Each structure stands twice: as C-alpha cells, then as structure tokens.
C-alpha cells in the first residue's frame, strides 16, 4: 500500500512538470513582452529603463521565480503609471496578474487584471487588449468560472484577429478548448483542437509551427487524446529537427516522452504488457535525448522523469547510476519552482526503491522547502512540506508527520489549492489513524472526500497520468474511509452506515468520471423506498483485509455485515469463478461450490431479513471484481439466486426518473450484424433473432449494410423508440477508448454514444427506456472491464441497459431475447429477464448459457 501511495505522489510531481510547461505556453505566450509604445511623455531613457524592467520580469517568470517577477512587474507598472503610459502600464499589470496566478494569489491576480482592463478600451492596441483578455480568461478558468472564461477568451480571439497575431490566435484557441471541456462541451473542444491542428499543418514549416504543434500535443495529452497527442508531437519533432531548432527539439522530446509514458500506462491498465513495455522504452529513450538540452530546466526535467520511470519499471541499477548526474544538475540549477519540483520528484523516487538513506532524502526535501520559502511560492512550499510529511509517515515518525502535514495543508488551503489539499487531508487521516485517533482520522478523510467531490471536473481535465493513477491516488481515499466507518468492534452506528453507503455511491460516480475522463454525469440520488418498495439494495465493498456489505431494505434501518478475508483471497475466488463460468465445458459442481462461497459472503448473513421483508428484487451496487460475476449464479445450496429474486445492477441509485416501461408503447429499433466485419466472426443467428423479436415487438429492423453509425443516429432522432436493440459484436473495457459496438462501417466508441442519443433526448424530452446489447463481451484479462457496461449505460442516457458479461452461443442468445420480449409485454424489466433466463436454463442447463445476461439501471 505504501509503495502504491508513494508512486502516485512521485507521479504527481512529474505531472506538475508537464502542467508547468503547458501553463507557461498559454500564459507567457500571452505576456506583453513586446509592449506597444505609448507617447513618450517622460523621456527616452526612462522609457527604455521601464522596458528593461518588463524584460527582466519576463526572464524571472520563465525561470520560475514568480514572486520576484511579480515584484519587478509591479515596479514597471508603477513607473509606466508615473509616466502616463497607460498601454504599457496595462501590459505590465496583466503580466503581474499571471505571476500572481502562478503563486495562487487569486485576489491579487483579479485586482491586477481588472486594473489592466480599466486602462484599455476598444481603441487601444488590439494586441495588448487580446493578451490581457487572454490572461483574464485563463484566470477565470483557473477559478472554475468556465462560462465567463469562454466568453472572455472569445473576445480575446476577436482582438487577436484584429491584431493579425497568428501565434496568439492559436494559443487562444487552445485555451478556449479547455474552457469548453470544463463546461462539458466535449465535441466543441475537440473540433476547436482539430481547427488548431488544421491551421498549423497548412502553414509552412517554421519555429511558430513547431512550437504550436508542441503545445497542441501537450493539450491533447491533457484532455486524454493520447494517440493524437503522439501523432502531433511527432510531426512537431520532425519540423524542429529539419529546421535545426535544438532547444525546441529537446522540449518536444520531453513532451513526447511524457505522452508515450501515458500511453504505456493505458496499455498496462488494459493488460497489454508488450505494448506497455515498448512505449516505456520509447519514453526512456526520448528522455535520454532531451537530457542533452542546453536548457537547464529541460535537462533536469528530462533527467528526473527518466529516473522516476526507471524506478517505476524497477530498473534500479540504471537509476542508481543516474542519481549522481541529477545531484550535480540540481546544484547548478538556480532557485525556481522547477528546481523545487525536481527535488520533490527526486526525493520520492529515492523513497520508492530506498536508493539512499532517509536522512539524505529529508535533506533534499528540506532544501526544497527552503527554496520555496525564499521564492515566496506557497504552492511549491506546500508540496515540499507534504512530501516531507510522507517521508516521516513511512518512517513511523508520526508526530513529526502530523505537524508537517498540517503545515502543508494550511498553505494549500491559503491559496485555494484544493488539488493538493485533498492529498494532505488524506495523509493527515492516515497519520491520525496510525496514532489511534480514529475520530480525527474520520474527520480528515471526510474533508479529503469533500475536496475530491469539489474537484470532479478538475480531476478529469488534468493529465492522463493522474487518471491512470486513479486507483492509487483517488480510489483509496474512499475505501479507507469506508473501512474506518465500518471497522469491526462495537456495533456500527446508523450515521456511519449512511455515510459509508453514500461514499460507495460517490466512489461509483468517481470511477465513471475516471472511465470517461470527463465529469459528465449528474448524480440524482434516489432513496430505495421512493424507487421501489419491493426492492432491496446490496452494497458490497472490497477492502484490504475484508469484504464489507451494507444491506438496505425498504423502510428499515441499514444493516451491516463483514467477512474477514485478505483482498487477494477474495479476488482470487471471484476470478476463478469468472473463468469457469465462461467455459461451457467446466464442471457445474465446481461452479456451485464457488457460487455458494460468494453467496455466503454477500447474502447469507442477511438472508433471513431479506426473506422476511418480502422484497421481490435485489439490486446490487457492485464493487471491483465483483462486477465480473453475474449475481444470478449465486447459490444457497438448494437453488440459484435467480430462482428466488428479480435481479439488477446499478451504478448507484442515480437513476433517471424511475418509471415502468409499461407506461410507453413497446416499440423497438432493432439493428444487427450477421456478417463478419473487421476480423470479428459472423453471427449467423442474428438475422433470426431480429426476425423473432419483430414478430413480438413492432418496430424497424436494420441489418448488415443498413446498420451504420449514421443510420443509427438518423433512426434514433426520427422516431420515439423506447427500446433500442443492438445484436452485434462489442467489447466492454475499463478504458472508454476500448469500449465499443461494431457497426457495418466501423467501431462506435462509447464516447460517441451521446452524439446521437443526447440530441434525441433533448429534442424529445425522453430517454431511451431500454438499450439491449445482445452479443457483446468483456475484454479478456481486464479485471475492471465490466465498468464498460455501466459506462455504456450512462453514456447512452438509457434508463436500463441489458448486456452480456461474455459472448454466448448465438442460438441461445436469440432464444433468450425472444422470450425476454414476450415477458416484457406483461412484466417489469428485471422480472422479464429472470423469466427468460429460467426458461432458457431448461434447455441450456449450464450457467455459461443463461447466467451472463445482466440488467443495469432502472429495473422497473
């Protein structure tokens, strides 16, 4: 656990390097470093002196000495004001605002930019106006005012066009894309970035084109489009090398290494080890090349990233060899935010593999703290202090860890640095728990969770490195707090049970946010009593040392029970059950043994209460690898759970308005592929499946060539189909990029679902009631692949989704689907599915055939 936690923190420092480079472009590109000269009222020598101050501030800013840059720019602004030079005063004030933003001094930043704008009007230099508006938009975006930011940035764009500043226009469009993403306008953001790319590629090769593509590539990585980021950065690199731009080439190599590192993590998460290894080696080579840069900042960042990646991939001997080089580079590096972050990242890499002793690591961090203080950079100081607190925590110096962590937290809160404050709140919770102060630990953990919730859109908009470390840097906060609330001993209070249940719901939402890399879901919590008075909800959560279950019965207090087993033992049992369920030749006795084991964990302790409550439906909010197991197969020693209750899955009780399908006329849009496409085998029974359904349910059928992405979109928008049935290959994965359904003309990825489904919802004010995916499967080797099912369900906006956990013989699928629609005419969705599965099991007795069908969402 400590190693994973250390990795996530060390990785965070690496991410700060990436983000600092991006912010520098978006901001310094907009710095008024070539002021438009107003009338010289105070003499040429005074004006030149003031302009020298502006250039001095720019140099300090680019060196990461933001406090000193702010002091110089304030001096320049005062001098310009005394000379009556409003344009250059406005320019200096806008640059001053940018320095304050870097320091987290938000009120001062707002005052400076407001004062700058008050000196400008529509007759002012369009370039100065554009740059000032661009910096104001960046400030608004940093403060979470995305709508205002977009409006301001669009005004800046008009001014840039008037000034005919092409590089400014490109930087502005990139800023606009970030504001659009923050507002949830993902298609517009993508289109804007594509516009930037088209514009850059159409221009002749130049340093502006190379750096423009470099920063576009960085932004594409930030928004999660890793493949396109890799492509654009490669194009940028070729141009820079062709033109002999050595400094730009090194910067591109560093950025391309960061993108390849992120791609490697993506491959690793999908269990594609060879691909991950290839990308990792490519990243290391790029870092080695970038380390030859003449720029000290680029060189140290490349060396630090190289070291951290060597440590991460356990190449400790090479990492040890690199360490003295980094030490020497740090000695020669002037104080700046970059040097502080370099020391933090170095220290955490050293902690990871114990390359040096703790005293030496503490000295590195102490130096970082002192540099940050001298720079008056409270954000950097907070990060350095928090990292020192982590070192104390690992060495069990808990009193010192608590003191230093509290100092780091106060600094983070003083600058509204919520993205780092949650880390210190979490760290403080761990330290207090280790000291036996559980009440204080719960309070600290709760604050960390609340901070994470406030950061939803920010967490999903930052680098993919954070998203791929979700399991190490976000998810454990929720799990560890649930563990504290539900710890064994005295009876758990109802307040603790309610808080734990809400945390499990919030974790489900956070996982889906991470899945989409977008905060695109609006939670609409529903109390089970209000949704269905004949349904019980079961919340299991897998912790490091046990499996906890919260049982919610209508109009009753919450119930809690626990099974004390190590996490790896629980997961091994679940994975074994999943493997044998997916093979029709496997032993039914072996399946029953394992299915009873899982029943004993999830149901047995609450079995009597469930039966006595009279509920008819069990709704599971499943966690982790439990999602891979169809609850229908659980067995009490006499019969399967399917034979006793209607069953449904829910990604939390965050349903669209719960209502029964019976309120609408049963009408279906049916689409299918029976032919082989893109290497997927044919599904010969699909045609018969759709024919059978059409005999039962009125609607429209599109088969093979008729089933394209565009035809699906047109049909969805042309008529109100409560049911959409897709009989085609598809794959569910823990990655949104690898979750798709197959159409005649290609793969329709999950992120594209809302392209047509949300338009239809907005136009008609009605969601699809039931989405059926009858031939899809989960990605092999991906332990969290079933997250893709929930992803499809929520992205489609469907109230309910019927899917399969593994591919089933298509004749059996066709038989079940036909029976399901017959039952749906007179029963609710979950009961219709249960009856269809029981009917199928009479002829196909092995659970392989009837168990994998799961209903996600509204079960009514």
């Amino acid at each position: 656990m400590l190693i994973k936690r250390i990795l996530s923190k060390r990785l965070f420092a690496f991410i700060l390097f990436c983000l600092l480079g991006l912010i520098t472009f978006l901001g310094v590109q907009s710095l008024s470093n070539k002021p438009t000269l107003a009338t010289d009222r105070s003499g040429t020598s005074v004006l030149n002196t003031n302009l020298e101050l502006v250039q001095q501030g720019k140099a300090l800013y680019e060196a990461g000495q933001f406090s000193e840059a702010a002091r110089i720019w304030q001096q320049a602004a005062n001098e310009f004001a005394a000379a009556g030079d409003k344009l250059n005063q406005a320019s200096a004030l806008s640059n001053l605002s940018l320095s304050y933003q870097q320091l987290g001094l938000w009120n001062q930043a707002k005052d400076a930019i407001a004062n700058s704008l008050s000196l400008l009007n529509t007759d002012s230099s369009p370039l100065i106006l554009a740059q000032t508006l661009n910096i104001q938009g960046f400030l608004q975006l940093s403060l979470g005012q995305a709508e205002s930011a977009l409006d301001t940035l669009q005004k800046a764009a008009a001014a840039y066009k008037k000034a005919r500043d092409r590089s400014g226009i490109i930087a502005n469009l990139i800023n606009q894309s970030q504001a659009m993403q923050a507002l949830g306008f993902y298609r517009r953001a993508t289109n804007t970035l594509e516009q930037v790319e088209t514009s850059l590629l159409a221009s002749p090769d130049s340093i502006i084109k190379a750096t423009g593509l470099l920063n576009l590539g960085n932004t594409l990585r930030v928004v999660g489009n890793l493949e396109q980021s890799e492509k654009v950065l490669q194009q940028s690199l070729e141009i820079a090398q062709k033109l002999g731009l050595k400094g730009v080439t090194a910067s591109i190599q560093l950025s391309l290494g960061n993108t390849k590192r992120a791609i490697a993590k993506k491959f690793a998460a999908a269990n594609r080890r060879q691909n991950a290894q290839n990308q990792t080696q490519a990243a290391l080579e790029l870092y080695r090349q970038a380390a030859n840069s003449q720029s000290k900042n680029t060189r140290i960042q490349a060396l630090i990233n190289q070291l951290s990646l060597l440590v991460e991939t356990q190449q400790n001997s090479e990492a040890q060899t690199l360490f003295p080089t980094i030490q020497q580079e740090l000695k020669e590096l002037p104080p700046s935010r970059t040097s502080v972050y370099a020391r933090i990242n170095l220290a955490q890499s050293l902690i990871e593999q114990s390359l040096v002793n703790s005293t030496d690591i503490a000295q590195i961090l102490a130096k970082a703290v002192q540099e940050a203080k001298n720079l008056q950079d409270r954000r950097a100081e907070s990060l350095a202090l928090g990292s020192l607190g982590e070192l104390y925590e690992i060495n069990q110096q808990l009193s010192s860890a608590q003191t230093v962590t509290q100092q780091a937290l106060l600094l983070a809160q003083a600058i509204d640095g919520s993205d780092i404050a949650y880390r210190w709140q979490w760290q403080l919770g761990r330290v207090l728990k280790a000291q036996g102060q559980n009440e204080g630990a719960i309070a600290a953990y709760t604050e960390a969770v609340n901070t994470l919730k406030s950061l939803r859109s920010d967490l999903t908009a930052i680098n993919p490195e954070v998203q791929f470390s979700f399991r190490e840097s976000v998810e454990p906060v929720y799990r560890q707090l649930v563990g504290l609330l539900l710890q064994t001993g005295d009876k758990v209070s109802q307040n603790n049970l309610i808080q734990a249940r809400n945390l499990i719901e919030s974790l489900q939402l956070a996982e889906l946010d991470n899945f989409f890399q977008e905060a695109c879901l609006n939670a609409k919590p529903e109390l089970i009593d209000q949704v269905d008075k004949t349904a019980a909800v079961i919340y299991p959560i897998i912790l490091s040392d046990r499996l906890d279950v919260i049982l919610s019965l209508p109009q009753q207090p919450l119930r809690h029970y626990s099974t004390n087993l190590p996490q790896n033992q629980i997961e091994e049992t679940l994975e074994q059950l999943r493997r044998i369920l997916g093979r029709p030749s496997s032993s039914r006795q072996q399946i029953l043994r394992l299915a009873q084991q899982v029943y004993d964990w999830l149901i047995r302790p609450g079995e009597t209460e469930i039966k006595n409550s009279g509920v008819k439906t069990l709704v599971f909010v499943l966690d982790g690898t439990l999602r891979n197991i169809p609850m229908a197969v659980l067995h009490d020693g006499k019969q399967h759970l399917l034979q006793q209750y209607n069953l449904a899955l829910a990604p939390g009780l965050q349903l669209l308005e719960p209502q029964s399908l019976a309120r609408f006329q049963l009408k279906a849009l049916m689409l299918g592929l029976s032919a082989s496409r893109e290497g997927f085998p044919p599904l010969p029974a699909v045609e018969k499946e759709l024919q059978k359904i059409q005999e039962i349910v009125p609607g429209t059928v599109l088969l093979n060539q008729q089933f394209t992405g565009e035809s699906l979109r047109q049909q969805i928008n042309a008529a109100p189909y409560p049911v959409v049935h897709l009989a085609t290959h598809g794959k569910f994965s823990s990655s949104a990029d690898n979750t798709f359904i197959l159409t005649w003309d290609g793969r329709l990825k999950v992120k594209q679902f809302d392209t047509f489904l949300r338009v239809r919802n907005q136009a008609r004010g009605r969601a699809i009631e039931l989405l059926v995916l009858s031939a899809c499967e989960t990605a092999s080797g991906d332990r969290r692949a079933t997250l893709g099912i929930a992803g499809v369900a929520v992205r489609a906006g469907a109230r309910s989704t019927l899917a399969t956990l593994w591919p089933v013989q298509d004749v059996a699928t066709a038989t079940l689907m036909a029976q399901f629609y017959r039952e749906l005419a007179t029963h609710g969705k979950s009961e219709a599915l249960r009856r269809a599965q029981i009917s199928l099991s009479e002829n196909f007795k092995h659970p392989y055939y009837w168990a994998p069908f799961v209903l996600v969402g509204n079960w009514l």
Side-chain angles (χ1 to χ4, degrees):
M1 180 61 206
L2 284 177
I3 290 176
K4 286 185 177 180
R5 191 168 67 243
I6 295 164
L7 175 60
S8 68
K9 302 297 190 299
R10 178 178 50 73
L11 193 55
F12 194 90
F14 151 69
I15 292 161
L16 289 171
F17 281 158
C18 305
L19 287 178
L20 182 58
L22 180 63
I23 290 169
T24 299
F25 169 75
L26 296 173
V28 174
Q29 176 67 28
S30 300
L31 287 178
S32 304
N33 48 38
K34 295 180 180 178
T36 301
L37 302 183
T39 303
D40 182 2
R41 298 188 178 91
S42 53
T44 302
S45 61
V46 173
L47 179 59
N48 288 338
T49 300
N50 293 343
L51 294 180
E52 287 175 4
L53 285 174
V54 171
Q55 294 301 319
Q56 185 181 349
K58 177 178 179 290
L60 289 165
Y61 183 98
E62 290 178 338
Q65 298 181 34
F66 305 119
S67 180
E68 188 62 17
R71 186 184 68 80
I72 293 296
W73 275 328
Q74 182 65 72
Q75 182 182 344
N78 293 340
E79 295 293 342
F80 283 128
D85 187 345
K86 290 186 177 181
L87 276 180
N88 283 325
Q89 181 188 358
S91 174
L93 286 169
S94 65
N95 293 342
L96 176 62
S97 174
L98 199 60
S99 279
Y100 284 146
Q101 290 178 49
Q102 291 284 9
L103 293 167
L105 301 173
W106 304 112
N107 289 330
Q108 292 94 319
K110 287 188 287 186
D111 289 343
I113 203 67
N115 290 336
S116 176
L117 286 169
S118 71
L119 296 169
L120 300 173
N121 55 52
T122 54
D123 296 326
S124 301
S125 161
L127 181 57
I128 298 292
L129 179 61
Q131 292 169 338
T132 303
L133 287 169
N134 207 50
I135 292 174
Q136 184 188 37
F138 192 79
L139 171 61
Q140 290 167 330
L141 189 58
S142 300
L143 293 172
Q145 301 165 6
E147 190 170 355
S148 297
L150 183 57
D151 181 64
T152 300
L153 291 168
Q154 288 170 341
K155 292 176 182 175
Y160 274 123
K161 289 177 183 177
K162 189 174 180 180
R164 298 182 180 180
D165 183 344
R166 188 167 173 275
S167 60
I169 291 171
I170 289 170
N172 173 270
L173 286 173
I174 292 175
N175 277 341
Q176 282 193 50
S177 74
Q178 292 185 313
M180 290 171 188
Q181 189 192 29
L183 287 167
F185 302 153
Y186 304 109
R187 291 175 63 197
R188 285 178 60 187
T190 300
N191 292 340
T192 300
L193 291 176
E194 289 173 353
Q195 178 185 344
V196 171
E197 182 179 6
T198 301
S199 175
L200 285 169
L201 292 177
S203 64
D205 291 348
S206 65
I207 187 171
I208 290 177
K209 181 175 181 178
T211 54
L213 288 171
L214 163 62
N215 291 286
L216 173 61
N218 285 340
T219 303
L220 288 166
R221 182 175 64 246
V222 168
V223 301
N225 193 340
L226 300 180
E227 287 73 18
Q228 192 63 19
S229 171
E230 181 182 32
K231 176 184 173 183
V232 167
L233 288 171
Q234 189 62 50
Q235 292 169 329
S236 175
L237 181 61
E238 290 170 4
I239 294 168
Q241 289 174 332
K242 174 184 172 182
L243 297 176
L245 305 171
K246 293 184 178 180
V248 177
T249 295
S251 295
I252 299 167
Q253 288 166 336
L254 176 62
S255 290
L256 186 55
N258 293 341
T259 292
K260 286 185 175 292
R261 184 175 183 177
I263 292 172
K265 291 184 176 298
K266 178 180 174 181
F267 281 136
N271 207 34
R272 297 169 64 180
R273 293 189 180 89
Q274 187 59 52
N275 297 93
Q277 184 177 346
N278 292 342
Q279 291 288 348
T280 297
Q281 290 306 313
L284 283 170
E285 180 56 33
L286 285 161
Y287 289 150
R288 292 187 186 106
Q289 293 171 10
N292 294 320
S293 172
Q294 295 300 308
S295 164
K296 291 182 178 181
N297 282 352
T298 301
R299 194 160 63 238
I300 193 63
Q301 289 181 39
L303 288 168
I304 290 289
N305 286 359
Q306 183 183 344
L307 178 73
S308 66
L309 187 51
L310 287 169
V311 169
E312 184 179 311
T313 53
Q314 299 182 343
Q315 300 179 56
N316 295 337
S317 176
E318 193 171 345
Q320 188 78 56
T321 302
L322 192 61
F323 177 53
T325 303
I326 294 174
Q327 281 184 304
Q328 185 59 39
E329 288 285 341
L330 281 174
K331 288 179 182 178
E332 298 175 4
L333 197 64
S336 66
R337 178 176 286 184
T338 298
S339 69
V340 175
Y341 288 164
R343 286 183 167 84
I344 294 169
N345 203 7
L346 173 62
Q348 291 179 331
S349 295
L350 297 175
I351 293 170
E352 173 72 8
Q353 293 296 334
S354 302
L355 296 178
V356 299
N357 63 51
S358 296
T359 302
D360 291 339
I361 298 172
Q363 289 175 351
I364 292 170
L365 289 171
K367 177 68 172 176
V369 171
Q370 189 58 52
E371 277 197 5
K373 284 183 177 179
N374 292 341
L375 292 166
Q376 299 178 48
D377 190 335
R378 290 187 290 179
R379 181 179 179 87
E381 185 181 353
S382 174
L383 284 164
L385 281 168
S387 299
L388 184 59
E390 181 186 4
L391 177 64
Y392 286 142
E393 178 194 3
I394 291 168
N395 290 331
Q396 293 298 299
Q397 297 171 264
L398 298 179
S399 179
S400 297
Q402 181 178 341
T403 299
V404 173
T405 302
Q406 287 171 331
Q407 292 172 354
L409 178 56
L410 287 173
L411 283 168
Q413 291 172 330
I415 60 169
D416 292 330
S418 299
D419 57 320
I420 54 175
Y422 97 85
R423 295 172 54 205
W424 310 144
Q425 289 160 340
W426 175 26
Q427 185 165 291
L428 182 60
R430 298 194 307 267
V431 170
L432 291 171
K433 179 186 175 184
Q435 296 178 88
Q437 301 178 39
N438 286 352
E439 188 174 336
I442 289 173
Y445 268 105
T446 301
E447 287 302 311
V449 168
N450 291 338
T451 303
L452 279 171
K453 289 179 181 178
S454 73
L455 279 171
R456 276 186 66 202
S457 60
D458 294 328
L459 283 173
T460 55
I462 55 179
N463 279 30
E465 287 87 352
V466 167
Q467 290 156 358
F468 287 113
S469 69
F470 174 83
R471 298 178 204 173
E472 291 81 35
S473 60
V474 175
E475 185 177 328
V477 184
Y478 289 87
R479 292 190 183 281
Q480 290 167 18
L481 178 52
V482 170
L484 269 171
L485 292 167
L486 302 181
Q487 59 190 345
T488 55
D490 295 337
K491 184 177 179 180
V492 180
S493 70
Q494 281 296 303
N495 285 340
N496 278 12
L497 286 174
I498 291 169
Q499 186 178 352
R501 179 189 63 181
N502 293 341
L503 280 166
I504 295 171
E505 296 257 3
S506 296
L507 176 57
Q508 297 274 330
L509 188 63
E511 285 184 297
L512 287 170
D513 281 345
N514 183 65
F515 173 80
F516 287 117
Q517 300 181 14
E518 300 169 6
C520 58
L521 308 176
N522 293 319
K524 297 180 180 179
E526 296 282 354
L527 295 176
I528 184 60
D529 293 8
Q530 297 174 2
V531 177
D532 183 358
K533 293 183 179 180
T534 65
V537 186
I538 297 171
Y539 298 86
I541 186 165
I542 301 172
L543 303 176
S544 60
D545 59 347
R546 65 188 192 271
L547 172 66
D548 275 319
V549 179
I550 296 175
L551 172 63
S552 175
L553 294 168
Q555 299 176 332
Q556 291 189 30
L558 296 176
R559 165 91 193 278
H560 164 250
Y561 41 90
S562 183
T563 301
N564 294 318
L565 284 174
Q567 179 178 350
N568 61 349
Q569 185 175 335
I570 293 169
E571 292 181 341
E572 284 173 9
T573 300
L574 296 172
E575 288 172 7
Q576 185 181 1
L577 176 56
R578 172 61 183 83
R579 282 195 302 271
I580 61 176
L581 279 171
R583 297 195 302 263
S585 59
S586 60
S587 164
R588 290 182 63 196
Q589 286 303 115
Q590 189 178 15
I591 289 174
L592 290 178
R593 179 179 62 81
L594 293 172
Q596 287 180 40
Q597 177 68 76
V598 181
Y599 181 95
D600 289 343
W601 293 341
L602 302 187
I603 307 296
R604 185 81 68 188
E607 185 180 56
T608 301
E609 288 90 338
I610 294 171
K611 287 181 179 178
N612 292 341
S613 72
V615 299
K616 297 179 180 179
T617 304
L618 300 184
V619 181
F620 291 87
V621 181
L622 294 177
D623 176 53
T625 49
L626 278 166
R627 297 189 184 106
N628 298 330
I629 306 299
M631 295 294 101
V633 81
L634 302 191
H635 202 276
D636 66 358
K638 297 180 181 178
Q639 56 186 344
H640 289 288
L641 196 61
L642 175 72
Q643 296 166 301
Q644 304 173 59
Y645 299 100
N646 303 326
L647 304 171
L649 307 178
L653 294 186
Q654 293 147 358
L655 308 172
L656 295 170
E657 312 111 37
Q659 54 189 300
S660 170
L661 180 61
R663 298 187 185 184
F664 300 100
Q665 179 186 1
L666 194 57
K667 181 181 178 182
L669 173 62
M670 296 157 276
L671 309 98
L673 282 182
S674 60
S676 173
R677 300 296 291 175
E678 292 201 10
F680 286 88
L683 296 169
V686 160
E687 190 169 352
K688 186 176 181 181
E689 175 182 335
L690 297 184
Q691 287 174 351
K692 282 185 176 181
I693 296 171
Q694 193 175 29
E695 292 171 1
I696 303 165
V697 181
T700 303
V701 174
L702 299 179
L703 183 66
N704 291 333
Q705 292 94 330
Q706 297 174 313
F707 175 22
T708 65
E710 179 59 21
S711 65
L712 175 57
R713 187 192 67 79
Q714 290 177 357
Q715 287 292 329
I716 287 287
N717 285 280
Y721 293 102
V723 178
V724 176
H725 184 105
L726 302 175
T728 179
H729 285 291
K731 186 157 289 187
F732 304 122
S733 166
S734 60
S735 164
D737 287 340
N738 296 320
T739 297
F740 64 89
I741 60 168
L742 192 65
T743 66
W744 182 263
D745 57 346
R747 300 183 180 191
L748 186 63
K749 292 188 177 182
V750 64
K751 282 193 174 183
Q752 298 172 279
F753 275 33
D754 65 343
T755 300
F756 47 85
L757 291 171
R758 288 190 184 177
V759 171
R760 188 255 196 183
N761 293 349
Q762 291 167 1
R764 300 185 177 276
R766 181 182 298 172
I768 290 173
E769 194 60 46
L770 175 63
L771 175 66
V772 180
L773 306 167
S774 73
C776 297
E777 61 181 294
T778 53
S780 175
D782 188 342
R783 296 173 69 178
R784 297 194 174 198
T786 46
L787 190 62
I789 297 178
V792 168
V794 298
R795 190 67 172 214
R799 290 196 173 95
S800 310
T801 298
L802 175 57
T804 52
L805 293 177
W806 57 81
V808 182
Q809 193 250 12
D810 57 348
V811 172
T813 298
T815 302
L816 179 133
M817 289 298 169
Q819 185 61 33
F820 170 70
Y821 283 105
R822 291 190 191 97
E823 299 290 351
L824 195 59
T826 54
H827 299 96
K829 300 167 201 168
S830 59
E831 185 171 355
L833 177 59
R834 182 177 75 88
R835 288 172 174 268
Q837 286 177 288
I838 291 173
S839 175
L840 182 66
S841 70
E842 293 173 359
N843 296 315
F844 294 86
K845 297 188 180 300
H846 197 285
Y848 164 82
Y849 296 100
W850 55 261
F853 301 93
V854 294
L855 183 69
V856 180
N858 191 320
W859 58 90
L860 300 175

